Amino acid sequence: MHCDVQSMALDPRYGTRKTREFMTGGLAGQVALNSRGWLGAKDNIIHAGEGPISIIRWAGTLVAWANNVCVRVYDTAAHTRIGRLDRPKSSNTEGTSCQLFWDGEQILYMGWHHTIKIARMRRKGAADLDSLRIVDVVASFQLDCLVVGLAPFGADLAVLVYHTALEGSSPRPPNSLAKTAAMSGGGAADAVGASTELQHERPQLKILTWTHEEIAADALSITGYEEYEASEYALAACHLPRTRASSHSRVTSGAAATSSGRQATKWWADGEEPIYYVVSPKEIIVGRPRDGSDRVTWLLEHSRFEQALHIIESDVTLSQATREQVAGQYLEFLVSQERFEEAAALMPRLLKDNAAAWERWVYMFAQWRQLPAMAPHIPVQEPTLRQTAYEMMLHAFLLSRADHSILLALVKDWPTHLYSVPTLLEAVLHRIRAPGGDTEALLQVAAQLYQLQGRYDLALAIYLRQQQPAVFDFIQEHQLLPVLHERVAQLLSIDEERAIQLLMDQYDEIPASTVVPSIQAEEADAQQVGDGQQAEDWRCKLHHYLDQLFQKDQTAGADYHSLQVELYAEYAPSQLMALLVGSQWYPLEAALGVCQQRSLVREQVFILGRMGSSAQALHLIIQRLADIPQAIEFVQMQRDDELWELLISLALESPALTGELMDNIGGYVNPLRLLKRIPHGVAIEGLRDRLVHIIADFRTQTSLREGCNNILHTDCLLLAQRLYHEVRHALSHVCVKPCTAASSSSQSDSIPQWHQWSSGAGLGALVDQQDLPGPQGTKQLHLRKKEGPDEEELETVWVGIEYPAAARPDPSSQTSNLKQKEQRHRKTSKQKGLDFQESLPSLVVADVAVLLT
């Protein structure tokens, strides 16, 4: 070892390798690698000629040293230099020396004068682990101060810097803790007063990102700092060895750390905190990174509660006690400033699932009478509080009328297992009976509690009292129509259209005998208090209900058809005729009186017709309506010849009516009856044309009658011919019952069965006797029709014939006769030019062959 050694570095594997290597450098500018071999230790000069060696740092198999020209990196495994980092042009040879720090074998930090460079070691071949490594600079930036030490700080960089001050200038004020402090080691001291002599500022420990973003800065209070130069400070760091994977991840994520936001959680494991030593001539300051608890404590001391809350939400490693401390102090701070709503809104974030804390704050808010602010945020599950906490909150909202709406919202939202429904209902009813307690919201609370108890009838009474539109859905959901009874009219006052539709859908459950008296009672009450308009509205509602009921079922409201005649005559005269025609449950005399009072002539005509007063009705038609077509229609419907004479007599009183009658009477009676009675000298407009029209109509009618008679005669002849051919047509499918001889002893006790039989196949399958319609007597023909239109040609006609046992014709001869008759029938049809047609099921008369055993 030479006497001019200025820097030295041991192999990190010194204690495990036999070579016992170390590297030295000095003022001579030589870098020597000392290695132990078989012949002893030996120095190998690996570099020289670039000036004194100021610093050497060794990591793994890589060694970096700095001289006056550059920083060189040497690979002891490959025994070759792999790269260099040039000295910044702005630096000088005085002041500060180069600072180097290895982070594993992947990252090399260099600080020289005002410049910081970060280099990465990578191999030339990405897939070849044996290839040589090269040096790439991944980050570089300038500072406005001297770099006297640097070391990694998580994904960032811890830098010890020194600010210079000129003679006669005031010292540079220290950087205050404007940002979150990242290092311990003393706070900022009071600024030193202005001086006319050369002054030195306190050194600062800064946390910087790889993109030169300042995260934090601490001005260090070092004794005698006014006299120290930059070269008298140093920064040393104690880190646990990092793996190559962790170092590589630092390279890829270092630049992204600033763009995505700072990470509030700690980056070191418990028990492995890095330690930083700031060395000065007279003292050493030891610094450790603060964890989440330290940051939270500092933020709470400075009343930065929102930042503390952000930390406890993002850092999962913090203890429960720290979280409770933040929650308690933050809420107490807000409450002390009477910001109750803001405090209540933050409780889900601060208290989370801490049931005990929730209950404690419920009681505290109750003491301050601020439960309305807390009600929307109180949890009902995860966590679930004790029942007393929920009941206390609910009962607290009964006192003030302004809080009743909050109580209603809670009763609707909260599950019933959180509180006692009977207890709360009793308290609600007591408050309703008290002065000023019958608010709309509190009544709805009572209705909601009745529903929870299944007492829907009481809830319905409240909804009807409040005129709630949702009562219709409530009635349908719980099928409460049968319990309405006399309260049906209240539905009409809420929504007439929906009420009538509901009553129509269930008119069998709520009959007219229930609805009509209820509406009439409301009408009577309105008249009793002198509210004529209200009474008129109820009468109109009654008309609408009965009208819809009549359209739904004409017999459902039969008992009120007499009333309905009055209502139709008053509100809808055009619809009265439909009631008069479709109903038989109204008194004719009363209906006639209503129509006479309202001057409804057509309705009077109809009623008089039903009463048998046809002549009086005809007088109304002619004298009041002067409607000859209606008069003719009326007379025709009455089927009374005397009415024709009356009609002619009434029409002859006016030449205009006489002419109109001449135009319309020809199709019903002989026009001569009218023409003969027209008085001489009566001037009838268009008489000649009308006579010509009458004669033409008469000829047309005569021609139509003759044509119809001819068509009828021809159809009768064709049908008679068809009938003649059909009765002579033999059947191809029959059903027979074979009969045995009376003297047969072996089969005397057997019962003959019906069989299907055809001329080609003979005796076929059995047929149940129940399938043969009609009585079964001797030589009796039985016919069974199939379902279908009268004109449909059926493939099979079933016929059953039973002969006595004595009549035993020869089956073979019968079969041959049947075929011969069919052939003769076809031949005769061709000779006469008629088409051969299959038999119809309407009439069958033919000889049938019978198979006998």
Side-chain angles (χ1 to χ4, degrees):
M1 182 177 293
H2 303 285
C3 59
D4 61 347
V5 172
Q6 188 174 357
S7 60
M8 175 182 177
L10 285 176
D11 183 358
R13 303 163 295 174
Y14 185 86
T16 60
R17 300 187 64 187
K18 296 181 180 180
T19 57
R20 305 287 183 174
E21 293 180 339
F22 62 89
M23 188 173 290
T24 60
L27 298 176
Q30 295 181 345
V31 178
L33 176 62
N34 184 279
S35 179
R36 185 186 300 273
W38 291 101
L39 301 178
K42 180 181 179 181
D43 286 336
N44 296 320
I45 305 301
I46 61 177
H47 181 74
E50 292 182 349
I53 307 302
S54 59
I55 187 172
I56 302 176
R57 291 290 182 265
W58 196 328
T61 62
L62 301 179
V63 182
W65 65 83
N67 50 41
N68 292 339
V69 177
C70 64
V71 173
R72 292 192 177 272
V73 182
Y74 181 82
D75 190 347
T76 59
H79 300 286
T80 182
R81 291 187 292 272
I82 63 174
R84 61 179 283 173
L85 299 175
D86 293 334
R87 176 175 182 158
K89 296 180 180 180
S90 60
S91 63
N92 51 36
T93 57
E94 299 178 358
T96 60
S97 61
C98 178
Q99 304 294 325
L100 297 177
F101 195 97
W102 282 102
D103 187 6
E105 295 183 50
Q106 295 279 338
I107 306 297
L108 175 63
Y109 297 95
M110 183 198 79
W112 208 334
H113 201 58
H114 295 280
T115 304
I116 293 178
K117 290 184 179 181
I118 303 173
R120 183 185 67 172
M121 313 297 134
R122 68 176 181 87
R123 296 187 181 275
K124 290 184 178 181
D128 188 4
L129 299 179
D130 295 331
S131 61
L132 291 177
R133 287 183 281 195
I134 60 177
V135 180
D136 288 338
V137 177
V138 295
S140 177
F141 51 88
Q142 298 284 332
L143 301 180
D144 59 352
C145 48
L146 298 177
V147 178
V148 297
L150 77 169
F153 186 80
D156 302 315
L157 188 63
V159 183
L160 181 63
V161 299
Y162 178 85
H163 291 276
T164 60
L166 299 177
E167 183 176 0
S169 64
S170 59
R172 180 188 180 100
N175 193 355
S176 61
L177 297 180
K179 299 181 181 180
T180 305
M183 299 287 299
S184 63
D190 296 335
V192 181
S195 175
T196 58
E197 299 179 356
L198 182 64
Q199 296 286 340
H200 299 289
E201 296 186 7
R202 291 182 297 175
Q204 293 185 10
L205 187 59
K206 294 185 177 183
I207 305 299
L208 305 176
T209 66
W210 287 15
T211 58
H212 194 198
E213 179 185 356
E214 183 176 313
I215 305 302
D218 277 339
L220 306 179
S221 297
I222 297 179
T223 304
Y225 70 90
E226 300 90 348
E227 302 175 359
Y228 298 152
E229 300 292 338
S231 59
E232 297 179 285
Y233 293 103
L235 175 65
C238 179
H239 282 80
L240 292 178
R242 289 188 174 273
T243 62
R244 294 173 61 184
S246 65
S247 298
H248 178 68
S249 63
R250 179 189 310 279
V251 174
T252 58
S253 62
T258 59
S259 60
S260 60
R262 306 309 306 166
Q263 185 179 9
T265 56
K266 62 182 181 181
W267 47 268
W268 64 90
D270 292 336
E272 299 180 358
E273 296 87 350
I275 302 176
Y276 298 86
Y277 300 93
V278 179
V279 182
S280 66
K282 294 184 178 180
E283 61 184 0
I284 298 177
I285 297 176
V286 180
R288 292 183 176 86
R290 290 179 175 176
D291 58 7
S293 298
D294 295 333
R295 288 193 294 273
V296 168
T297 302
W298 186 88
L299 291 171
L300 293 179
E301 291 174 354
H302 293 78
S303 299
R304 299 181 181 181
F305 300 104
E306 189 63 32
Q307 298 179 18
L309 176 59
H310 177 72
I311 291 176
I312 66 173
E313 288 179 338
S314 58
D315 190 352
V316 297
T317 62
L318 294 177
S319 63
Q320 183 64 26
T322 302
R323 299 177 186 276
E324 293 180 357
Q325 179 185 8
V326 173
Q329 293 190 22
Y330 197 178
L331 292 176
E332 289 175 358
F333 170 76
L334 295 175
V335 168
S336 64
Q337 296 186 349
E338 298 184 355
R339 296 158 60 182
F340 297 102
E341 294 183 358
E342 185 177 352
L346 284 173
M347 283 183 181
R349 295 177 59 188
L350 294 172
L351 304 183
K352 294 186 181 298
D353 57 351
N354 191 340
W358 275 103
E359 293 177 0
R360 181 173 64 255
W361 282 103
V362 167
Y363 294 132
M364 294 176 66
F365 268 61
Q367 294 176 359
W368 298 321
R369 300 183 182 274
Q370 295 297 327
L371 285 178
M374 188 178 183
H377 309 286
I378 188 170
V380 296
Q381 59 180 0
E382 296 181 2
T384 301
L385 311 185
R386 289 181 294 180
Q387 191 178 76
T388 54
Y390 295 108
E391 289 185 348
M392 180 183 65
M393 178 169 289
L394 293 174
H395 285 269
F397 294 140
L398 288 173
L399 302 177
S400 175
R401 293 169 58 92
D403 296 338
H404 291 174
S405 59
I406 302 177
L407 176 61
L408 176 60
L410 295 180
V411 170
K412 289 182 177 180
D413 295 339
W414 284 2
T416 56
H417 67 272
L418 299 179
Y419 57 93
S420 173
V421 175
T423 303
L424 180 60
L425 178 59
E426 183 179 357
V428 169
L429 295 178
H430 180 74
R431 182 68 180 92
I432 291 175
R433 300 187 191 99
D438 56 344
T439 61
E440 295 293 327
L442 198 57
L443 288 174
Q444 292 186 39
V445 171
Q448 190 71 23
L449 295 175
Y450 279 135
Q451 291 185 59
L452 297 177
Q453 289 185 329
R455 302 162 71 179
Y456 302 113
D457 53 340
L458 298 178
L460 176 62
I462 295 177
Y463 289 143
L464 290 175
R465 173 185 172 182
Q466 292 186 311
Q467 302 285 294
Q468 291 286 337
V471 68
F472 297 99
D473 297 331
F474 182 73
I475 291 173
Q476 290 180 324
E477 180 181 358
H478 300 288
Q479 300 179 355
L480 297 176
L481 271 177
V483 304
L484 284 175
H485 299 298
E486 67 277 358
R487 292 178 292 187
V488 172
Q490 298 181 24
L491 290 177
L492 294 171
S493 62
I494 299 174
D495 190 333
E496 179 181 348
E497 183 178 354
R498 292 192 63 182
I500 292 178
Q501 182 61 42
L502 179 62
L503 293 174
M504 292 302 103
D505 294 340
Q506 306 291 336
Y507 73 95
D508 52 342
E509 296 185 13
I510 304 295
S513 58
T514 299
V515 179
V516 174
S518 178
I519 299 177
Q520 289 177 334
E522 295 291 337
E523 180 184 359
D525 292 342
Q527 290 177 349
Q528 186 175 1
V529 297
D531 192 348
Q533 182 61 40
Q534 185 68 19
E536 183 67 20
D537 292 341
W538 280 112
R539 185 171 178 81
C540 185
K541 289 181 175 62
L542 179 60
H543 160 66
H544 292 158
Y545 166 73
L546 290 176
D547 176 41
Q548 293 294 324
L549 184 61
F550 181 75
Q551 296 180 23
K552 184 79 173 181
D553 187 349
Q554 295 183 356
T555 62
D559 296 339
Y560 301 97
H561 282 185
S562 177
L563 173 61
Q564 199 167 359
V565 169
E566 300 178 7
L567 295 175
Y568 271 130
E570 183 177 355
Y571 295 104
S574 60
Q575 301 179 12
L576 177 57
M577 182 61 73
L579 175 65
L580 298 177
V581 174
S583 174
Q584 300 179 358
W585 295 279
Y586 59 89
L588 297 177
E589 294 80 1
L592 180 61
V594 172
C595 294
Q596 290 175 346
Q597 183 181 1
R598 298 286 179 175
S599 299
L600 303 176
V601 180
R602 298 185 185 276
E603 287 75 8
Q604 294 181 48
V605 171
F606 178 78
I607 296 174
L608 289 172
R610 290 191 60 179
M611 295 174 62
S613 302
S614 303
Q616 185 178 355
L618 188 57
H619 276 84
L620 285 175
I621 296 174
I622 298 300
Q623 296 174 1
R624 299 285 297 275
L625 300 177
D627 190 346
I628 293 298
Q630 182 179 355
I632 293 175
E633 182 182 1
F634 177 77
V635 173
Q636 186 184 11
M637 291 178 58
Q638 299 299 321
R639 299 182 181 277
D640 187 354
D641 192 63
E642 295 181 359
L643 290 179
W644 284 110
E645 296 296 331
L646 178 59
L647 174 59
I648 293 173
S649 300
L650 294 175
L652 291 176
E653 296 177 358
S654 171
L657 295 178
T658 302
E660 190 174 357
L661 183 59
M662 290 174 63
D663 294 337
N664 295 278
I665 200 173
Y668 303 98
V669 297
N670 193 341
L672 293 176
R673 295 178 61 179
L674 172 61
L675 298 176
K676 290 179 179 180
R677 296 185 56 182
I678 297 177
H680 294 284
V682 176
I684 300 176
E685 184 179 357
L687 178 60
R688 181 178 178 277
D689 295 337
R690 285 172 172 167
L691 290 175
V692 171
H693 181 66
I694 290 174
I695 295 172
D697 287 346
F698 183 75
R699 289 177 179 176
T700 301
Q701 292 179 12
T702 303
S703 176
L704 289 175
R705 289 192 184 97
E706 291 178 356
C708 292
N709 290 333
N710 292 334
I711 293 173
L712 180 60
H713 181 68
T714 303
D715 289 343
C716 290
L717 290 178
L718 292 176
L719 292 175
Q721 291 177 3
R722 185 175 182 183
L723 175 62
Y724 172 75
H725 290 293
E726 289 299 332
V727 297
R728 301 182 68 248
H729 187 345
L731 300 176
S732 61
H733 296 82
V734 296
C735 185
V736 300
K737 179 195 289 185
C739 298
T740 58
S743 60
S744 178
S745 60
S746 62
Q747 299 180 358
S748 59
D749 297 332
S750 62
I751 301 176
Q753 301 291 330
W754 288 92
H755 293 263
Q756 182 180 359
W757 182 85
S758 63
S759 59
L763 193 63
L766 289 173
V767 179
D768 191 354
Q769 186 172 347
Q770 296 180 357
D771 295 335
L772 299 174
Q776 300 180 10
T778 303
K779 297 182 180 181
Q780 179 67 40
L781 181 67
H782 303 285
L783 174 66
R784 181 189 181 205
K785 293 184 181 180
K786 285 190 174 181
E787 298 291 336
D790 293 339
E791 297 298 327
E792 182 181 3
E793 296 183 0
L794 304 179
E795 297 180 358
T796 304
V797 178
W798 293 88
V799 179
I801 301 178
E802 183 176 7
Y803 281 90
R808 301 185 59 185
D810 185 6
S812 60
S813 61
Q814 291 288 352
T815 303
S816 60
N817 292 337
L818 181 62
K819 292 181 177 180
Q820 292 175 3
K821 288 182 179 181
E822 184 175 356
Q823 293 175 359
R824 288 197 303 270
H825 178 55
R826 292 179 180 272
K827 183 177 180 181
T828 303
S829 299
K830 291 181 179 181
Q831 291 176 355
K832 294 182 178 180
L834 300 175
D835 294 335
F836 178 74
Q837 298 180 353
E838 298 294 336
S839 60
L840 295 175
S842 58
L843 180 61
V844 177
V845 178
D847 294 335
V848 181
V850 181
L851 180 62
L852 301 176
T853 58

